């Protein structure tokens, strides 16, 4: 089966959040199962520098007003790539989602290039049977297929985060090469605008999102205005959990750790804590329970609930380390909390991959109090690294963490802590529960072992995607 993934991020070259991690792992997991998956991305400078190119496979004159574009072949280790080389749009600093003045046109260009490969194939005759787009930047891809001429490959859209939808003024219809008859609620129209994600969800043959619980939530109250459409397309929508790339996230061989460990040698985890504490400016030592958060600082991530609990954590003798960047006010508030509690609360404002690995290897508890969480990756990494996740019961967090309770402690299934209400008090109660368990080292170790033993490999999710592809009737193209 020939499948072209289309996306805007790829770890380690271009990563803003979990999408980058998934694009690095899922296509490779599908290839390991025998599917011929390739990935189309913009030719970002960081990507071009890292992978090199192997020549042009298509030429697209003046694409979306960004000048001539080429599609280049390239190769990341174990993953064939196509890169949309259009310097005016992609060869500049600012990150994938910067430069709002041409955000719509440049991701429309990416979607157009995908549809072109789907129709015409590359210069060597490779033509995908399925185009699989990820998140709003690729949302117009099914529209270009549906409203275009020629062979129609099957299309799949995956929602990694429905909060980001790509809405642009209706006046752009012509510039985006969309026909007038596409501007209907069954097409690309969304409350008088052009909705990129909406278009993809309307027009793709199959839809998926990244956890079963999120798949349900976005059809009722968590769909950011797309609930009705998703409920209508319920029969075509699957929730498939993300996995963990054990080549990147593996405490037995992680180059960022001072001491390697695994399920059989959990005691070797200990030296990673003082190393992390020293780097963060926390008092070194094993006595204080260490809570951490590794997150974009976005209102949906619920870090304001952690802010409400800073003094509570410190009063209970715990330490708190926060790695995050994003919302300006949240950054300031965490900096202020660290100044109030030197040595007990520390914050790193910024994005640091190595420090994130060290945090998972050092912390006792990873806080993930998200208001909404499609899947979430940090609670998975935490478990693999032996930090117990404390999560709000929503989306993928509900599906991947078994909360401590008398029952789950008795039957040995607990892997972390859960709370329900999105408020600081409820988080505080869950923190108290974590501290109670921490005071009982044998019980703690039992939960930690179970968490570290959990199977989050990508093979099962990759099989679920193959099953989803198999449900699409062939069009004979
Ligand atoms: P989202 O995609 O919504 O940001 P996920 O939990 O799915 O959330 O993925 C977040 C990814 O970004 C994880 O790989 C996490 O380790 C990483 N991450 C988040 N914040 C930071 C940070 N400040 N420094 C390093 N890595 C971070």
């Amino acid at each position: 089966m020939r499948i072209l993934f289309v996306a805007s991020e790829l770890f380690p070259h271009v990563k803003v959040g979990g999408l980058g991690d998934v694009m690095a792992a899922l296509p490779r997991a599908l290839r390991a199962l025998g599917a011929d998956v390739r990935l189309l991305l913009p030719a970002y400078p960081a990507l071009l520098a890292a992978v090199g190119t192997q020549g042009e496979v298509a030429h697209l004159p003046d694409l979306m007003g960004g000048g001539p574009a080429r599609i280049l072949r390239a190769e990341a280790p174990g993953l064939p790539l196509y890169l949309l080389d259009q310097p005016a749009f992609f060869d500049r600093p600012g990150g994938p989602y910067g430069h709002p003045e041409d955000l719509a046109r440049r991701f429309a260009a990416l979607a157009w290039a995908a549809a072109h490969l789907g129709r015409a194939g590359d210069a060597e005759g490779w033509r995908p049977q399925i185009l699989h787009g990820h998140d709003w930047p690729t949302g117009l891809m099914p529209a270009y297929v549906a409203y275009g001429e020629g062979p129609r490959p099957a299309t799949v859209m995956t929602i990694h985060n429905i909060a980001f939808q790509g809405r642009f003024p209706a006046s752009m219809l012509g510039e985006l090469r969309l026909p007038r008859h596409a501007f209907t609620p069954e097409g690309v129209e969304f409350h008088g605008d052009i909705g990129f994600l909406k278009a993809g969800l309307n027009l793709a043959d199959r839809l998926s999102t990244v956890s079963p619980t999120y798949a349900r939530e976005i059809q009722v109250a968590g769909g950011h205005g797309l609930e009705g459409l998703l409920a209508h397309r319920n029969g075509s929508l699957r929730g498939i959990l993300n996995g963990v790339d054990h080549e990147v996230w593996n405490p037995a061989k992680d180059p960022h750790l001072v001491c390697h460990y695994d399920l059989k040698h959990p005691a070797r985890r200990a030296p990673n804590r003082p190393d992390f504490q020293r780097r963060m400016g926390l008092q070194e030592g094993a006595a204080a329970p260490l809570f951490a958060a590794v997150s974009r600082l976005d209102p949906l991530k619920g870090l304001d609930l952690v802010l409400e609990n800073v003094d509570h954590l410190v009063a209970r003798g715990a330490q708190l380390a926060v790695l995050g960047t994003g919302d300006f006010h949240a950054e300031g508030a965490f900096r202020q909390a660290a100044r109030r509690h030197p040595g007990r609360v520390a914050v790193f404002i910024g994005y640091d991959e190595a420090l994130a690995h060290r945090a998972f290897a050092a912390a006792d508890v990873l806080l993930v109090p998200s208001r909404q969480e499609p899947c979430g990756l940090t609670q998975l990494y935490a478990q693999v690294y032996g930090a117990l996740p404390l999560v709000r019961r929503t989306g993928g967090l509900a599906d991947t963490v078994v909360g401590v309770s008398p029952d789950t402690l008795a039957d040995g299934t607990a892997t972390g802590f859960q709370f329900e209400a999105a408020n600081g008090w409820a988080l505080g109660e869950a923190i108290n529960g974590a501290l109670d368990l921490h005071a009982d080292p044998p019980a703690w170790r039992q939960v930690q072992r179970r968490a570290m033993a959990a199977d989050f490999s990508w093979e099962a999710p990759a099989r679920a995607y193959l099953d989803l592809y198999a449900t699409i009737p062939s069009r004979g193209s």
Side-chain angles (χ1 to χ4, degrees), residues 58-385:
H59 182 81
L60 303 163
D62 190 35
L63 194 52
M64 304 299 162
R70 303 181 301 162
I71 301 176
L72 307 173
R73 260 291 263 126
E75 190 90 23
L79 181 57
L81 302 177
Y82 293 97
L83 301 179
L84 176 62
D85 181 32
Q86 199 176 14
F89 280 162
F90 300 115
D91 184 10
R92 54 189 176 177
Y97 312 114
H99 298 284
E101 69 283 1
D102 55 37
L103 192 61
R105 287 190 295 128
R106 69 180 190 269
F107 284 122
L110 180 68
W112 184 276
H116 174 83
L117 280 174
R119 266 195 299 271
D122 72 8
E124 288 153 14
W126 189 87
R127 189 158 68 82
Q129 295 151 300
I130 297 174
L131 296 174
H132 187 161
H134 297 268
D135 268 353
W136 78 264
T138 64
L140 289 189
M141 178 267 289
Y144 293 137
V145 170
Y147 301 116
E149 305 277 305
R152 269 191 67 179
T155 51
V156 177
M157 279 300 299
T158 294
I159 304 162
H160 296 262
N161 194 333
I162 204 161
F164 303 108
Q165 300 191 350
R167 268 176 79 160
F168 300 97
S171 58
M172 296 189 76
L173 206 63
E175 278 177 87
L176 299 179
R177 296 201 193 179
L178 291 164
R180 288 211 71 80
H181 64 267
F183 197 68
T184 66
E186 294 71 39
V188 305
E189 190 266 342
F190 189 43
H191 296 296
D193 288 333
I194 299 167
F196 276 37
L197 184 63
K198 154 90 190 263
L201 300 181
N202 258 341
L203 298 167
D205 294 301
R206 292 291 180 274
L207 311 177
S208 79
T209 188
V210 288
S211 70
T213 297
Y214 193 63
R216 283 192 298 276
E217 289 172 349
I218 57 178
Q219 295 179 49
V220 280
H224 295 257
L226 291 168
E227 292 86 352
L229 162 58
L230 289 164
H232 175 68
R233 297 223 55 197
N234 171 285
S236 301
L237 170 68
R238 293 266 176 94
I240 304 175
L241 280 170
N242 287 331
V244 170
D245 184 346
H246 290 291
E247 288 303 307
V248 180
W249 296 98
N250 184 346
K253 60 175 192 184
D254 187 327
H256 304 302
L257 308 189
V258 290
C259 198
H260 292 147
Y261 60 98
D262 57 23
L263 198 50
K264 289 199 195 88
H265 308 96
R268 293 185 193 160
R269 185 174 190 264
N272 291 297
R273 176 195 297 252
D275 173 64
F276 177 70
Q277 286 170 317
R278 191 165 51 249
R279 288 171 189 274
M280 291 295 292
L282 291 167
Q283 283 164 22
E284 289 176 42
L290 175 55
F291 288 68
V294 178
S295 180
R296 291 184 295 112
L297 300 179
D298 173 296
L300 285 178
K301 293 287 185 186
L303 272 295
D304 52 310
L305 310 185
V306 176
L307 275 168
E308 283 183 48
N309 276 283
V310 167
D311 294 342
H312 176 61
L313 278 164
V314 173
R316 295 279 323 252
Q319 292 185 349
L320 173 66
V322 176
L323 277 64
T325 177
D327 180 73
F328 179 76
H329 295 287
E331 290 181 357
F334 276 115
R335 279 205 177 98
Q336 211 172 42
R339 276 198 296 274
R340 253 195 351 263
H341 301 290
R344 313 288 304 178
V345 175
V347 51
F348 171 83
I349 299 296
Y351 189 94
D352 186 328
E353 191 76 26
L355 198 58
H357 285 240
R358 294 176 181 125
F360 297 124
D364 294 303
V365 178
L366 183 85
L367 298 168
V368 196
S370 309
R371 293 195 161 75
Q372 255 201 321
E373 193 61 76
C375 176
L377 291 172
T378 59
Q379 84 282 7
L380 307 182
Y381 301 153
Q383 289 176 69
V384 172
Y385 280 64

